[in-house]
């Protein structure tokens, strides 16, 4: 992190020395804003309160010039029932300098983002803790893997809230109609997974190894990458606008954010024990994205090849209960704007394992679809939408009807449902008992 | 006086009003010519401005958005970018459009949604959709003070005075049903300033022929020798909703960088 701080200071000095662009007036130099949000959820199936959260996101910007600014975003988060992250989460997946400050079981504070953004000739630098988002897909992630995610509400939380910002050197070079981006991420922070007992703790055999009946499980601490240089992530993206097409070509060398659960079976005096040793594994991601508009229709998509996907198997002794395979994935999205003030959006996600073994838990190919219909009323003050995500292989899914209304200039309220269906084997079906009614309010200052 | 000459004089006397009105009509420029003069008006190669968008519903509830906007010509292609600065819950929303000169080529549009932190390509074909909750359509935003000559049949109806300024009253009828549906208008009447060739007022009817909205261009004054409207008002007669755009810090002399009009610029914000 010291290296990143050095870059940060050097860029500040360099930017300050090249401020030939327009300087904002004194009152425009500082910008302070804040968003206050409260959301409650009531578990329908379990007939109990699911969550009652309250958060404040203050944001401060200081503008050295129109091209150079410093941004800091903090968060105070409180949750009344302590069901999403019971007790004080260990945060073992998070690098020590990126962890939240826990103020008891139900309240925490977090430095969400802290970065300097500046233009140096044709280069644009963003240095510090930030979110970097790749890709064109909604809801499910193929290219949007730069930042890990907090899964305390599975994928129900707003991605902007659930994404975990990382300390990153983000350099972009303008090449006329194209843009070349380089990322260096020394921050070794990974997905934050709900611990056992949390409302949205994972139980599906697709992602959690299942111990045979009567066999004890010894879950070891996650083995984290240690070296700030050799274990950092690096990425590159070339984006261009070509004959109406928005195109990107992406490469990311990284630790996959889900730990791999290596397992070994041993015999103890008390009986058989499965020792689970989670650790993070490297992956090369090669991919690209595209989008274009044709009349009322926009077409968008992503294609990704992951060299090293680690997947759970049914037989564990030889291979540690996992197998490695390459994986090809794509998402194709169609957005139709043919009815005024309305959007109908369909997405097809598919992935194939290139070197599957016969005993893997998941299917060799996997298909998920999404359908979103949204309509605005009353000059976009009222919005109604329904999102339906469905996994074809497992036959499970998630339906999310929602209505939101802008009560005042800076105040929005909403009411919706999160309705899961399917068996506990599926990623969605595992939460079939977590259907909930959600209501919330957001105020901006 | 001979009877034949008398009859001729009487006939001329009776026909004089007709000749006079024809002569007066001929003195008015044709609708197409007025449209061309509107679009020929200098609006600078580039401009930056702060725009306050005020939206008021029938019940009097007002929503206010502060924005920063830039426009630049790349040859005949016009690019516009708008960054939302406040309120906090929609801050960093940004809109980018490429308005191409070819009539048969759809424009390109992008919208940055801060909640997703993603730039979305959006369809530009339904030009009559209202722009982010305002009473101005995407087409209004793209055209600014220019007009779509090829979209309408133009006809000069006469002369009237608006805000003390002599204006030509022009009727615009969409060239076909498809264009009318795309624009959302069945008829438009515009009052065009005869001196500076700017629209000062426009009335719109929907495709069914019902009164739809009235737009006014106020506080028109020269900035760096370019006539500039500092207030745009649009009132929807069906919904009772009203939008006022108030411009300040208009600057045609500023170096607006090409890189401002890119997806990456939308993502970085202003």
């Amino acid at each position: 992190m010291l290296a990143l701080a050095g870059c940060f200071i050097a860029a500040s000095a360099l930017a300050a020395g090249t401020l030939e662009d327009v300087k904002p007036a004194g009152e425009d130099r500082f910008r302070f804003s804040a968003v206050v949000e409260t959301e409650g959820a009531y578990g329908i199936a379990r007939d109990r309160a699911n969550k009652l959260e309250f958060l404040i996101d203050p944001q401060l910007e200081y503008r050295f010039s129109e091209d150079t600014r410093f941004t800091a975003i903090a968060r105070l988060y409180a949750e009344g029932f302590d069901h999403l992250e019971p007790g004080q989460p260990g945060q073992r997946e998070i690098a020590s300098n990126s962890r939240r400050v826990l103020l008891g079981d139900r309240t925490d504070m977090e430095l969400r983002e802290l970065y300097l953004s500046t233009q140096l000739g044709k280069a644009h630098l963003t240095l510090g803790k930030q979110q970097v988002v790749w890709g064109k897909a909604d809801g499910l992630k193929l290219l949007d893997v730069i930042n890990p995610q907090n899964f305390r509400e599975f994928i129900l939380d707003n991605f902007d809230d659930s994404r975990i910002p990382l300390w990153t050197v983000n350099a972009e070079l303008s090449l006329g109609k194209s843009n070349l981006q380089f990322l260096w991420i020394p921050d070794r922070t990974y997905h934050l997974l709900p611990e056992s007992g949390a409302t949205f703790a994972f139980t599906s055999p697709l992602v959690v190894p299942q111990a045979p009946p009567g066999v004890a499980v010894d879950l070891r601490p996650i083995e984290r990458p240690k070296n700030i240089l050799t274990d950092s992530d690096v990425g590159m993206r070339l984006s261009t606008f070509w004959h109406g097409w928005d195109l990107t070509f992406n490469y990311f060398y990284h630790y996959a954010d889900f730990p791999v659960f290596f397992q070994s079976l041993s015999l103890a005096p008390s009986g058989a024990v499965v020792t689970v040793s989670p650790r993070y594994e490297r992956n090369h991601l090669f991919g690209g994205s595209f989008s274009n508009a044709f009349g009322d229709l926009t077409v968008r998509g992503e294609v990704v090849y992951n060299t090293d996907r680690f997947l759970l198997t049914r037989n564990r002794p030889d291979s540690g209960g996992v197998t490695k395979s390459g994986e090809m994935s794509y998402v194709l999205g169609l957005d139709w704007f043919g009815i005024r003030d309305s959007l109908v959006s369909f997405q097809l996600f598919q992935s194939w394992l290139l070197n599957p073994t016969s005993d893997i838990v998941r299917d060799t190919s996997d298909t998920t679809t999404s359908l979103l219909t949204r309509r605005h009323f009353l000059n976009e003050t009222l919005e109604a939408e329904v999102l339906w995500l469905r996994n074809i292989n497992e036959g499970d899914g998630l339906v999310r009807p929602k209505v939101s209304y802008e009560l005042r200039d800076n105040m929005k309220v909403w009411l919706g449902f999160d309705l899961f269906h399917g068996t506990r084997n599926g990623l969605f079906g595992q939460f079939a008992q977590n259907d909930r009614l959600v209501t919330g309010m957001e105020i901006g200052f | 006086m001979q009877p034949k000459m008398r009859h001729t004089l009487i006939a001329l006397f009776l026909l004089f009003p007709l000749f006079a009105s024809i002569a007066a009509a001929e003195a008015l420029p044709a609708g197409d010519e007025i449209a061309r003069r509107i679009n020929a008006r200098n609006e600078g190669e580039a401009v930056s401005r702060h725009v306050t968008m005020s939206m008021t519903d029938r019940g009097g509830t007002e929503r206010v958005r502060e924005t920063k906007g830039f426009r630049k010509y790349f040859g005949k292609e016009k690019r516009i970018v708008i960054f939302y600065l406040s309120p906090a819950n929609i801050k960093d929303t940004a809109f980018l459009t490429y308005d191409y000169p070819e009539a048969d080529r759809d424009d390109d549009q992008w919208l940055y949604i801060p909640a997703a932190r993603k730039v979305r390509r959006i369809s530009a074909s339904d030009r009559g959709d209202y722009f982010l909750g305002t009473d101005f359509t995407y087409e209004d935003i793209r055209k600014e003070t220019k007009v779509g000559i090829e979209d309408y049949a133009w006809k000069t109806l006469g002369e009237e005075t608006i805000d003390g300024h002599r204006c030509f009253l022009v009727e615009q009828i969409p060239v076909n049903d498809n264009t009318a549906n795309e624009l959302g208008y069945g008829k438009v009447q515009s009052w065009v300033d005869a001196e500076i060739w700017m629209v000062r007022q426009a009335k719109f009817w929907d495709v069914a022929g019902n009164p739809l909205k009235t737009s006014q261009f106020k506080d028109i004054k020269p900035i760096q020798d370019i006539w500039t409207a500092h207030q745009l008002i649009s009132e929807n007669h069906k919904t009772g909703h009203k939008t006022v755009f108030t411009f300040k810090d208009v600057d045609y002399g500023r170096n607006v960088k090409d890189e401002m009009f890119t997806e990456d610029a939308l993502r970085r914000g202003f």
Side-chain angles (χ1 to χ4, degrees):
Chain A
M1 236 38 64
L2 279 175
L4 191 55
C7 290
F8 194 97
I9 293 163
S12 305
L14 207 53
T18 57
L19 301 183
E20 36 79 33
D21 53 314
V22 182
K23 291 186 179 181
E27 67 270 23
D28 291 336
R29 282 183 178 271
F30 274 108
R31 286 187 196 166
F32 178 80
S33 59
V35 174
V36 178
E37 183 185 313
T38 180
E39 188 173 73
Y42 186 79
I44 301 166
R46 289 183 177 172
D47 190 23
R48 73 166 193 179
N50 183 291
K51 73 162 184 177
L52 180 61
E53 72 177 16
F54 173 82
L55 63 88
I56 305 175
D57 283 355
Q59 175 172 350
L60 178 70
E61 272 183 22
Y62 181 79
R63 300 167 69 81
F64 298 96
S65 71
E66 285 200 355
D67 280 342
T68 305
R69 67 176 186 269
F70 169 80
T71 303
I73 304 173
R75 170 168 296 171
L76 176 67
Y77 176 86
E79 203 281 304
F81 296 113
D82 202 26
H83 293 155
L84 299 177
E85 293 178 295
Q88 298 201 4
Q91 302 189 72
R92 282 179 289 275
E93 302 93 332
I94 312 294
S96 56
N97 49 16
S98 290
R99 289 179 183 166
R100 291 172 287 164
V101 178
L102 305 177
L103 309 171
D105 289 356
R106 301 175 186 213
T107 308
D108 61 64
M109 284 194 317
E110 182 184 8
L111 177 63
R112 290 286 293 166
E113 298 182 45
L114 180 78
Y115 58 83
L116 179 82
S117 169
T118 189
Q119 189 79 28
L120 295 171
K122 289 287 182 186
H124 189 94
L125 291 177
T126 309
L127 306 174
K129 199 177 188 195
Q130 60 188 288
Q131 295 188 34
V132 177
V133 180
W134 284 356
K136 308 282 184 193
D138 285 338
L140 296 174
K141 299 179 172 189
L142 295 186
L143 279 173
D144 182 9
V145 293
I146 305 297
N147 291 88
Q149 189 176 338
N150 185 337
F151 280 93
R152 70 178 158 213
E153 289 186 75
F154 184 44
I155 59 167
L156 303 178
D157 205 0
N158 184 334
F159 279 145
D160 192 44
D161 289 337
S162 64
R163 229 180 259 120
I164 302 171
L166 297 177
W167 293 95
T168 303
V169 173
N170 177 358
E172 295 172 73
L173 185 64
S174 175
L175 308 168
K177 283 188 174 179
S178 304
N179 183 285
L180 193 57
Q181 180 186 47
F182 296 96
L183 299 172
W184 175 49
I185 308 173
D187 190 336
R188 285 147 299 140
T189 292
Y190 309 100
H191 286 328
L192 190 52
L193 304 177
E195 293 174 7
S196 176
T199 303
F200 290 100
F202 290 105
T203 57
S204 164
L206 293 170
V207 289
V208 178
Q210 310 289 305
V215 175
V217 176
D218 177 18
L219 178 62
R220 296 294 176 87
I222 297 178
E223 189 181 320
R224 294 172 44 79
K226 293 183 174 64
N227 191 298
I228 193 170
L229 285 177
T230 57
D231 288 329
S232 58
D233 296 348
V234 289
M236 197 164 65
R237 184 196 66 183
L238 176 68
S239 54
T240 191
F241 182 61
W242 180 74
H243 292 282
W245 289 90
D246 303 308
L247 301 174
T248 72
F249 302 93
N250 308 63
Y251 169 71
F252 193 37
Y253 179 54
H254 67 128
Y255 277 97
D257 288 320
F258 278 109
V260 182
F261 293 99
F262 291 97
Q263 303 143 64
S264 61
L265 188 62
S266 59
L267 277 173
S270 56
V273 176
V274 174
T275 303
V276 181
S277 307
R279 74 166 186 261
Y280 296 99
E281 290 290 342
R282 281 286 196 189
N283 175 56
H284 294 272
L285 178 153
F286 299 90
S289 69
F290 57 89
S291 67
N292 200 350
F294 302 93
D296 289 333
L297 196 69
T298 63
V299 179
R300 56 191 167 81
E302 300 174 13
V303 180
V304 166
Y305 169 56
N306 287 299
T307 56
D308 297 291
R309 296 277 282 166
F310 288 81
L311 303 136
L312 294 173
T313 58
R314 293 187 181 86
N315 307 313
R316 64 179 57 84
D318 303 334
S319 60
V322 295
T323 185
K324 188 169 85 168
S325 171
E327 183 190 49
M328 280 296 299
S329 312
Y330 77 88
V331 52
L332 178 66
L334 301 172
D335 302 329
W336 185 62
F337 297 85
I339 301 172
R340 190 152 290 168
D341 296 323
S342 302
L343 167 68
V344 179
S345 174
F346 174 77
Q347 294 182 120
L348 174 68
F349 296 81
Q350 285 196 304
S351 69
W352 290 273
L353 298 176
L354 301 179
N355 324 97
T357 54
S358 58
D359 59 348
I360 56 168
V361 177
R362 65 158 273 190
D363 293 341
T364 303
S365 68
D366 188 73
T367 305
T368 299
T369 59
S370 79
L371 179 65
L372 169 72
T373 58
R374 177 183 291 150
R375 185 168 174 84
H376 291 113
F377 305 89
L378 305 173
N379 289 81
E380 297 197 12
T381 53
L382 180 65
E383 180 184 282
E385 68 173 35
V386 181
L387 170 67
W388 181 23
L389 286 160
R390 179 172 166 78
N391 180 268
I392 304 300
N393 297 58
E394 297 293 333
D396 61 341
L398 167 65
V399 182
R400 308 188 73 188
K402 183 179 177 184
V403 176
S404 58
Y405 181 60
E406 216 174 275
L407 260 181
R408 298 170 64 94
D409 189 20
N410 58 347
M411 181 189 288
K412 190 165 83 172
V413 294
W414 61 88
L415 178 75
F417 290 90
D418 299 322
L419 306 170
F420 295 93
H421 61 88
T423 68
R424 65 171 295 275
N425 289 339
L427 279 177
F428 301 110
Q430 65 184 322
F431 301 122
Q433 293 302 304
N434 285 2
D435 289 354
R436 60 184 198 172
L437 166 70
V438 180
T439 182
M441 179 173 70
E442 180 189 86
I443 304 173
F445 297 99
Chain B
M1 186 177 289
Q2 293 178 356
K4 191 175 177 183
M5 183 175 283
R6 189 185 307 135
H7 291 154
T8 303
L9 284 173
I10 290 168
L12 283 173
F13 180 77
L14 291 174
L15 288 172
F16 178 77
L18 178 62
F19 288 140
S21 65
I22 290 170
E26 283 175 353
L28 294 175
D32 289 355
E33 173 60 15
I34 291 173
R36 273 192 291 275
R37 297 290 291 265
I38 293 170
N39 282 1
R41 194 179 58 79
N42 178 26
E43 57 176 5
E45 189 180 318
V47 67
S48 74
R49 59 252 167 132
H50 183 108
V51 186
T52 303
M53 301 179 178
S54 162
M55 295 165 279
T56 311
D57 68 15
R58 193 193 297 271
T61 304
E62 187 187 23
R63 297 179 293 154
V64 179
R65 279 88 174 90
E66 300 293 341
T67 69
K68 187 80 181 179
F70 300 90
R71 185 250 303 144
K72 188 171 187 175
Y73 278 95
F74 294 72
K76 289 186 174 178
E77 179 186 319
K78 180 161 69 174
R79 299 183 182 179
I80 296 171
V81 64
I82 299 170
F83 298 98
Y84 280 68
L85 309 178
S86 72
N89 41 348
I90 61 161
K91 178 179 176 293
D92 295 332
T93 300
F95 170 74
L96 171 66
T97 181
Y98 290 2
D99 184 8
Y100 299 114
E102 300 89 356
D104 57 349
R105 182 178 177 187
D106 273 350
D107 298 334
D108 286 315
Q109 292 184 163
W110 297 262
L111 186 67
Y112 176 69
I113 304 158
R117 299 221 181 193
K118 283 186 179 173
V119 176
R120 291 292 294 265
R121 189 68 172 266
I122 55 174
S123 165
S125 66
D126 205 350
R127 300 181 282 167
D129 264 1
Y130 287 101
F131 176 73
L132 299 181
T134 71
D135 293 290
F136 296 99
T137 63
Y138 280 92
E139 181 74 353
D140 296 335
I141 298 294
R142 277 196 297 263
K143 291 295 180 196
E144 296 187 312
T145 57
K146 303 284 183 177
V147 292
I149 296 178
E150 65 286 351
D151 288 330
Y152 298 100
W154 298 77
K155 182 182 173 187
T156 308
L157 297 181
E159 266 185 35
E160 288 186 11
T161 300
I162 298 290
D163 296 337
H165 299 273
R166 182 173 150 252
C167 291
F168 298 120
L169 172 57
V170 186
E171 183 182 75
Q172 304 158 231
I173 305 292
V175 290
N176 53 45
D177 289 348
N178 188 42
T179 304
N181 286 328
E182 276 185 13
L183 295 167
Y185 308 139
K187 183 175 85 171
V188 184
Q189 285 187 350
S190 299
W191 284 258
V192 183
D193 191 300
E195 298 285 325
I196 60 174
W197 302 101
M198 279 188 79
V199 176
R200 286 190 176 270
Q201 179 176 288
K203 289 187 175 178
F204 300 82
W205 284 258
D206 66 16
V207 288
N210 303 307
L212 178 63
K213 67 176 185 180
T214 301
S215 296
Q216 295 171 291
F217 297 74
K218 301 274 195 184
D219 194 13
I220 296 173
K221 56 193 177 194
I223 301 287
Q224 293 151 318
D225 296 329
I226 296 170
W227 288 98
T228 306
H230 285 71
Q231 194 174 58
L232 271 57
I233 304 166
S234 189
E235 190 162 6
N236 189 307
H237 303 304
K238 286 182 166 179
T239 62
H241 196 270
K242 180 180 175 181
T243 299
V244 179
F245 283 6
T246 305
F247 295 80
K248 68 174 186 181
D249 301 333
V250 180
D251 186 356
Y252 293 98
R254 181 184 152 146
N255 175 27
V256 178
K257 294 175 184 169
D258 293 357
E259 290 80 13
M260 187 81 81
F261 304 90
T262 61
E263 251 191 83
D264 294 302
L266 290 191
R267 210 174 275 120
R268 288 181 209 130
F270 181 79

